[in-house]
Amino acid sequence: MRGFLASTIASSIGVSCAAALVLPLAAPATAAPTSPASPPGARSARPAALPGTPDAAVPGSTQSLALAPVARDRALGPAVAEQGLTREHVRHFSLLGVVWDDPGTPLHGRVQVRTRSTRDGAWSGWRNLETHNDDAADPGAAERASHRVRGATPPLWVGDSDGVEVRVRAESGHRTGGTAHGARAGTAAGPLPSGLRLELVDPGAPPPARAARPGATEIPALTKAATEDELRTLPGVELTPRQRANPHIGPRPRIITRRGWGADEKLRERGFVYTKKVKAAFVHHTASGNGYKCSQAASVIRGIHRYHVRSMRWRDIGYNFLVDKCGTLYEGRAGGVAKPVLGAHTRGFNTNSMGIAVLGGFGSAKPPKAVLDAIARLTAWKLGLYGADPRGKTYLTSGGGNLYRKGKSVRLNVISGHRDGFATQCPGRKLYSKLGTARSTAARYQGR
């Protein structure tokens, strides 16, 4: 059975099973020189360009609705204190978010939405969207080469809906944000960002099971011994003599591929951008809500994928991997799960790192044990490919952010939370406090 599974994966990609881990599931574009906008050390298969496939040609859809000043503010002109809209009849959608023109302009205010369920026609209560989407590409990276990226809230999963109301109100005064280094206070004042729009995302349905070749929907788990054997022959991974003699690597976990969760490969850009290695992992939460069922996780990921590419205008989904609340692992950004694919997750520290996003929010909700184990299993394997100790420290050079200036060498945990590299509450207080458990478990999986 194992031989059959390996052969079917190989046939679906056209390479050996080991090489399948480092090659993308879709054929790459012809190699080209590194884009000038890429970070130092990055290698790109093709300069960045915004995807041009119209929504009508892909599964799912995105409805983009401009917000308008509320009646009492209309006389104030463009710099209004409140905007919103109500739509009682729209095409079905399951995920939403608010975007604006300039990604460098913060939204200091409150964003609230309520939606009408297609199941029973009932309207939800008002729900708050986080206003600071701190998952981002590095300044000067390929992500920003088109100069068309947008500011955005994190997306929110609301389930199948056909009506929506949103209100965005500016706030001024003192704000306090939690970071790994304590509270940070500041003054937030000024108008709302220009170009506010509500994005309603229908993630679409995955391709029929019969359309996918057998074995292409997941990368199967391996034993530790089999993983060590594979490590010694994996293309593109350079091992030190010590690694060859005594590889500290966890068993390769089962990973649902992009084809497995139904990624529409026409959405993303064709090229891939790589860095030199993976020295650290940053753990995130998606802030998209915990109300999904695990059977809906693939739909949530398709929604986030479409939101990142169509609404925020990124090259691809920003995270390298995702984890649902049942502990299932998913391939994120395309380019090969074993390769050092440049993501867009921790502004300033995307180079030589990977981003792991847990679907949901964990500011007050406790992360399930299955989530922590999935993070440990993934990091034990992926960091083990590059000789990193999950309990250790490493140095990364900041690409510029709100905690560290560009060019500063920063000492970080090999498994860090998003807030360690950027002033944010992500991955939520409850998940961040459990990262020590993930580090020790990952080290144990590596045999340390």
Side-chain angles (χ1 to χ4, degrees):
M1 177 63 184
R2 178 177 167 185
F4 169 76
L5 191 55
S7 65
T8 54
I9 291 178
S11 66
S12 70
I13 309 174
V15 290
S16 69
C17 185
L21 297 171
V22 294
L23 292 177
L25 287 172
T30 304
T34 301
S35 166
S38 301
R43 300 182 299 280
S44 175
R46 178 176 176 148
L50 189 69
T53 308
D55 280 338
V58 298
S61 64
T62 301
Q63 302 171 74
S64 185
L65 307 175
L67 303 192
V70 299
R72 61 179 175 274
D73 287 330
R74 213 174 277 279
L76 299 180
V80 296
E82 186 171 354
Q83 295 186 33
L85 64 78
T86 300
R87 292 289 186 274
E88 294 188 358
H89 300 286
V90 293
R91 297 196 308 273
H92 286 203
F93 66 95
S94 297
L95 180 139
L96 57 77
V98 171
V99 301
W100 55 93
D101 292 339
D102 183 2
T105 301
L107 195 167
H108 292 303
R110 190 176 188 185
V111 180
Q112 293 182 302
V113 297
R114 67 186 191 114
T115 55
R116 184 177 61 199
S117 170
T118 59
R119 179 174 54 84
D120 57 12
W123 283 86
S124 70
W126 287 100
R127 287 177 277 193
N128 293 318
L129 270 66
E130 291 192 13
T131 56
H132 300 286
N133 191 356
D134 299 321
D135 304 324
D138 292 345
E143 218 74 25
R144 295 174 178 257
S146 68
H147 301 290
R148 296 181 65 184
V149 295
R150 288 167 162 169
T153 70
L156 177 69
W157 177 262
V158 296
D160 196 12
S161 305
D162 62 4
V164 65
E165 187 172 2
V166 60
R167 56 193 186 195
V168 182
R169 185 165 186 84
E171 292 178 352
S172 61
H174 291 282
R175 299 174 57 93
T176 301
T179 75
H181 310 285
R184 170 171 291 192
T187 299
L192 293 172
S194 63
L196 285 168
R197 304 186 71 86
L198 176 66
E199 303 286 294
L200 305 178
V201 179
D202 170 13
R210 64 180 180 274
R213 296 177 183 175
T217 58
E218 68 176 60
I219 295 170
L222 290 181
T223 65
K224 192 173 191 306
T227 302
E228 291 175 357
D229 289 342
E230 179 184 74
L231 175 64
R232 296 184 177 96
T233 60
L234 201 60
V237 177
E238 298 180 4
L239 303 181
T240 65
R242 178 177 295 181
Q243 279 182 284
R244 288 190 175 278
N246 185 20
H248 286 294
I249 187 169
R252 188 182 77 196
R254 172 178 174 264
I255 302 171
I256 304 299
T257 65
R258 290 171 64 91
R259 180 172 290 177
W261 55 260
D264 183 352
E265 301 297 354
K266 294 188 295 294
L267 285 175
R268 66 170 178 83
E269 292 181 8
R270 293 179 61 199
F272 310 105
V273 183
Y274 301 101
T275 60
K276 292 181 178 179
K277 59 178 65 176
V278 178
K279 299 172 62 177
F282 286 97
V283 178
H284 303 250
H285 66 181
T286 60
S288 51
N290 299 332
Y292 68 94
K293 299 177 181 178
C294 289
S295 60
Q296 296 176 307
S299 293
V300 177
I301 296 171
R302 289 197 303 276
I304 294 172
H305 181 210
R306 175 172 279 275
Y307 186 74
H308 281 183
V309 177
R310 283 289 187 227
S311 301
M312 297 175 68
R313 296 176 174 174
W314 287 1
R315 303 181 69 251
D316 193 356
I317 192 170
Y319 311 113
N320 298 103
F321 297 93
L322 300 100
V323 185
D324 69 25
K325 60 187 177 183
C326 290
T328 302
L329 292 165
Y330 302 84
E331 176 185 15
R333 179 161 289 205
V337 295
K339 297 190 77 172
V341 178
L342 178 70
H345 49 84
T346 306
R347 179 173 177 174
F349 294 99
N350 290 305
T351 298
N352 294 335
S353 73
M354 67 175 181
I356 306 167
V358 183
L359 298 180
F362 298 96
S364 58
K366 182 179 178 181
K369 183 178 181 298
V371 165
L372 299 175
D373 189 62
I375 293 170
R377 287 185 287 112
L378 176 61
T379 53
W381 170 70
K382 184 65 181 275
L383 293 171
L385 293 174
Y386 297 89
D389 182 347
R391 299 169 304 183
K393 304 278 188 178
T394 191
Y395 283 90
L396 294 177
T397 301
S398 173
N402 62 3
L403 274 181
Y404 302 102
R405 61 174 173 79
K406 184 175 182 179
K408 181 177 178 59
S409 181
V410 182
R411 189 169 185 256
L412 295 161
N413 287 309
V414 167
I415 298 179
S416 286
H418 184 184
R419 63 176 64 184
D420 293 319
F422 194 89
T424 173
Q425 295 184 25
C426 181
R429 178 173 56 88
K430 294 286 189 179
L431 178 53
Y432 186 78
S433 68
K434 293 292 184 180
L435 293 186
T437 300
R439 294 182 191 110
S440 58
T441 304
R444 187 172 71 250
Y445 282 141
Q446 285 190 348
R448 295 183 186 270

